[in-house]
Amino acid sequence: MSRPEHIAPPEIFYDEVESKKYSSNSRIIEIQTKMSERAYELLAIPEGREGLLLLDIGCGSGISGDVITDAGHHWIGCDISPSMLDVAIDREVEGDVMVRDIGQGFPFRPGTFDGAISISAIQWLCNAEKSHHNPRKRLLVFFQSLYQVLARGAKAILQFYPENSAQIEMITSSALRCGFTGGLLVDFPNSTKAKKYFLVLFTGNNGLYSMPKAMGVNDDEMVEEDERQEQVKIVNRNREKGRKKDRVGVKSREWIMQKKDRQRKQGKEVRPDTKFTGRSRGPKFVGKCAGFLLLRRIIKLHLKLKLKVEFIKCVYYGAK
């Protein structure tokens, strides 16, 4: 299965269709909520402390923001996909949201935020979506700006899906070069299904903070999580079997309209929709002409043969 970063830039990949899944698909909502709760847990905000201002990087539909709101804090979210932010607004999230390319930094005053979280966002910075994009430079701009807008002593918890070890090294080294301390935390490191990567960053002296413990390090936790993932996988497979019956037929009018909508969102030139769009057509005109020409040729051959027979008769009876 190809990664989303290899299919299209985030502002195009997360279109209206994909964005709506984050408000209607219970499986996606459950995964995003669990990762957001884990990220907030890693912030280690003392109990009873409320009213902090947190930055939600790649906030999307606002699922991670809901976790912050439930904890009694305020938040500002940024995302590059307008469609995802439209879903967040429709859900009436408590935080403020804005369209922003995190590879260009953040437009906030120094020390504005008491902490930051990010769910499945920073791996997009490792891809050059445009000719002038340089992943290493964009990562440096991102981490430099993040370091500036965080108050001293604040933490940033960034969950991401690295493609390989080279991406992990590039992201981690970029963060440390910009003044952060901390490191990489991997939950369920021995599980291929439940493994999650969190970059735990501190803006203060690393000696004052200790890295939190990873989940799923012992065998009991890992087996329990693998069993839960397997149950979810079986349920989803059964759902997919039921959905195959409802698939839109290829080349049908509905299929054509959906394809044209996707092409319009990608900025391609598409012919306008008319009452003839998707209409079934009869045999092609070329086929009719070929049939007509064949019939005409047969008639000609028949006439020639008939004339030859008449000519032979005339010659035969004339000589006689």
Side-chain angles (χ1 to χ4, degrees):
M1 184 177 179
S2 59
R3 294 170 61 91
E5 308 96 82
H6 297 166
I7 298 174
E11 62 271 25
I12 295 177
F13 179 81
Y14 292 105
D15 56 9
E16 291 182 10
V17 176
E18 191 69 24
S19 300
K20 285 180 180 178
K21 295 179 183 178
Y22 286 77
S23 63
S24 60
N25 189 308
S26 59
R27 175 60 181 153
I28 292 178
I29 294 172
E30 180 190 2
I31 293 172
Q32 293 290 313
T33 302
K34 284 187 176 297
M35 289 193 297
S36 301
E37 290 173 347
R38 176 59 173 158
Y40 179 78
E41 178 187 345
L42 293 173
L43 281 176
I45 297 175
E47 290 186 12
R49 191 177 181 188
E50 297 182 354
L52 300 180
L53 181 60
L54 303 180
L55 176 62
D56 189 355
I57 303 165
C59 63
S61 61
I63 296 174
S64 49
D66 290 340
V67 173
I68 298 173
T69 299
D70 293 341
H73 305 293
H74 310 289
W75 59 278
I76 296 176
C78 58
D79 200 285
I80 198 172
S81 170
S83 298
M84 290 291 276
L85 295 181
D86 288 340
V87 173
I89 294 170
D90 291 341
R91 294 180 62 246
E92 298 181 351
V93 296
E94 294 293 329
D96 297 322
V97 296
M98 61 182 292
V99 178
R100 187 70 182 175
D101 177 7
I102 61 175
Q104 297 179 356
F106 303 101
F108 302 109
R109 293 179 179 178
T112 300
F113 297 97
D114 301 301
I117 65 171
S118 177
I119 307 298
S120 310
I122 62 172
Q123 71 267 9
W124 289 90
L125 293 174
C126 297
N127 287 59
E129 307 295 354
K130 299 180 180 178
S131 59
H132 61 276
H133 281 181
N134 184 314
R136 290 190 179 276
K137 288 183 179 179
R138 284 169 60 78
L139 281 168
L140 286 174
V141 170
F142 166 72
F143 283 115
Q144 286 172 353
S145 180
L146 179 60
Y147 188 86
Q148 289 175 356
V149 301
L150 290 176
R152 295 293 78 86
K155 298 179 184 177
I157 309 297
L158 313 177
Q159 183 274 327
F160 65 106
Y161 289 107
E163 185 174 2
N164 47 47
S165 57
Q167 278 194 4
I168 296 175
E169 192 277 332
M170 182 167 64
I171 292 172
T172 306
S173 62
S174 297
L176 298 179
R177 282 181 62 187
C178 296
F180 284 105
T181 55
L184 186 69
L185 181 142
V186 184
D187 281 347
F188 303 100
N190 301 318
S191 172
T192 57
K193 301 173 184 175
K195 185 185 293 185
K196 295 291 183 292
Y197 293 84
F198 292 88
L199 192 60
V200 181
L201 302 175
F202 310 100
T203 56
N205 186 359
N206 196 25
L208 301 176
Y209 305 101
S210 59
M211 284 289 292
K213 293 183 179 180
M215 295 176 62
V217 176
N218 59 60
D219 294 337
D220 293 338
E221 287 182 346
M222 187 178 68
V223 171
E224 182 181 347
E225 183 65 16
D226 279 345
E227 288 178 352
R228 192 185 72 81
Q229 292 285 342
E230 188 63 31
Q231 289 175 357
V232 171
K233 185 177 179 181
I234 292 172
V235 171
N236 286 344
R237 191 186 304 129
N238 292 335
R239 285 181 182 175
E240 288 296 328
K241 287 180 180 178
R243 287 174 185 168
K244 286 181 180 179
K245 299 177 183 177
D246 302 328
R247 283 183 179 175
V248 178
V250 179
K251 299 297 182 182
S252 64
R253 178 179 172 81
E254 187 178 354
W255 181 86
I256 292 171
M257 297 295 285
Q258 290 177 0
K259 182 179 179 181
K260 293 175 76 173
D261 286 339
R262 288 195 300 270
Q263 290 176 340
R264 288 192 185 99
K265 290 172 185 176
Q266 293 171 0
K268 297 180 180 179
E269 292 186 6
V270 182
R271 291 183 179 180
D273 299 332
T274 66
K275 63 180 182 179
F276 301 105
T277 302
R279 183 177 177 181
S280 58
R281 293 171 171 80
K284 292 184 179 180
F285 182 69
V286 176
K288 290 182 178 179
C289 287
F292 176 74
L293 292 173
L294 180 61
L295 180 62
R296 184 177 170 184
R297 189 172 180 183
I298 292 171
I299 293 172
K300 279 186 175 181
L301 290 173
H302 177 71
L303 291 174
K304 284 183 179 179
L305 183 60
K306 192 175 181 180
L307 288 172
K308 284 183 178 180
V309 171
E310 293 294 333
F311 177 75
I312 292 170
K313 285 182 178 180
C314 291
V315 171
Y316 174 74
Y317 290 114
K320 199 171 181 182

